[in-house]
Amino acid sequence: MSILINENILHIQQRIRQACESAGRNPNEVKLLMATKTVTPSRIVEAMKTGNTLIAENKIQELKEKYEALKPYPHTNHFIGHLQSNKINDLLRCEVQCLQSLDRITLAEKLQQKLEQKDKFLNVLIQVNTSGELSKFGVAPSQTLALVRAVSRLDRLCIKGLMTIGIFSSNVTQARPCFQLLKQLQGEVIKANIPGVSMDELSMGMSGDLEIAIAEGATIIRVGTAIFGSRQYPDSYYWNENKKID
Ligand SMILES: *Cc1c(COP(=O)(O)O)cnc(C)c1O
């Protein structure tokens, strides 16, 4: 099993290098994030032995379950799933360093409050719903700049960029307009020159469409299946938790 994980990661790294070469980009600009939903701690550790130590969960429950087992291994935790505000304490306790899925001001305000209490800071990406699909979370593209402005006033949250999930389609080229839109929004935010806001990171692209995402400017690609194999549950299980907002 671990040999397979190793080979899969080597293959992903090769795809990243090739995509960067085609796009005229430096491969060092693209970070590989391993999406570890449904993956056991022992398999995550195997994958991290390759030197890739940026990992992310979608569900707080899984984050909590794996926290102790992964603790001895140096790694960086991001969170890429929908976050309900009553789970903020768990998120902070599990030492998540970046919340990639911040998509509403009510959640941001509750985060600010908890972070103040704990005297902590948190990196965030603003998640944008670039596909317009009802089944995906994320702020509407037209509301992105306003949300960035509002979150920028909360001093415990450090905005580092934008995140999106491209359109869900067997035809991966359909994701390209989603990625182009995220890049365009990044440009608009940069132009607005909002104090304290960094737009260095564009988190977009997954197992099936990472080449397209890299061509359109991704700095973080989030890869699950291509490293760990296919999952038992459909992605809708993770992306559309009954569309429950709080
Ligand atoms: C699962 C997941 C990924 C990785 O998807 P794969 O197709 O398995 O590579 C990326 N981003 C998010 C938000 C995910 O939930």
Side-chain angles (χ1 to χ4, degrees), residues 124-187:
V124 297
L125 305 184
I126 302 296
Q127 181 177 0
V128 185
N129 184 347
T130 53
S131 67
E133 289 169 293
L134 285 174
S135 61
K136 300 239 181 71
F137 294 106
V139 65
S142 62
Q143 300 302 309
T144 302
L145 186 56
L147 180 59
V148 171
R149 265 190 217 288
V151 173
S152 76
R153 296 187 192 106
L154 305 171
D155 66 337
R156 298 283 161 164
L157 298 174
C158 315
I159 302 179
K160 298 294 180 188
L162 306 176
M163 180 273 231
T164 199
I165 300 172
I167 197 164
F168 195 65
S169 165
S170 52
N171 179 0
V172 294
T173 60
Q174 289 192 16
R176 191 183 296 276
C178 300
F179 301 152
Q180 287 172 333
L181 177 54
L182 200 70
K183 180 79 191 173
Q184 181 196 322
L185 291 168
Q186 178 198 40

Side-chain angles (χ1 to χ4, degrees), residues 35 37 58 80 163 165 206-207 222-225 231 235 239:
K37 55 182 179 257
N58 281 69
I80 55 176
M163 180 273 231
I165 300 172
M206 313 191 301
S207 294
R222 310 178 307 265
V223 181
T225 345
R231 291 177 293 267
D235 285 338
W239 293 343

Side-chain angles (χ1 to χ4, degrees), residues 29-55:
E29 291 172 15
V30 181
K31 290 183 272 293
L32 171 60
L33 175 152
M34 304 194 291
T36 52
K37 55 182 179 257
T38 76
V39 181
T40 60
S42 62
R43 298 182 72 218
I44 297 172
V45 169
E46 286 303 325
M48 293 201 302
K49 282 184 184 156
T50 63
N52 292 283
T53 53
L54 176 57
I55 62 175

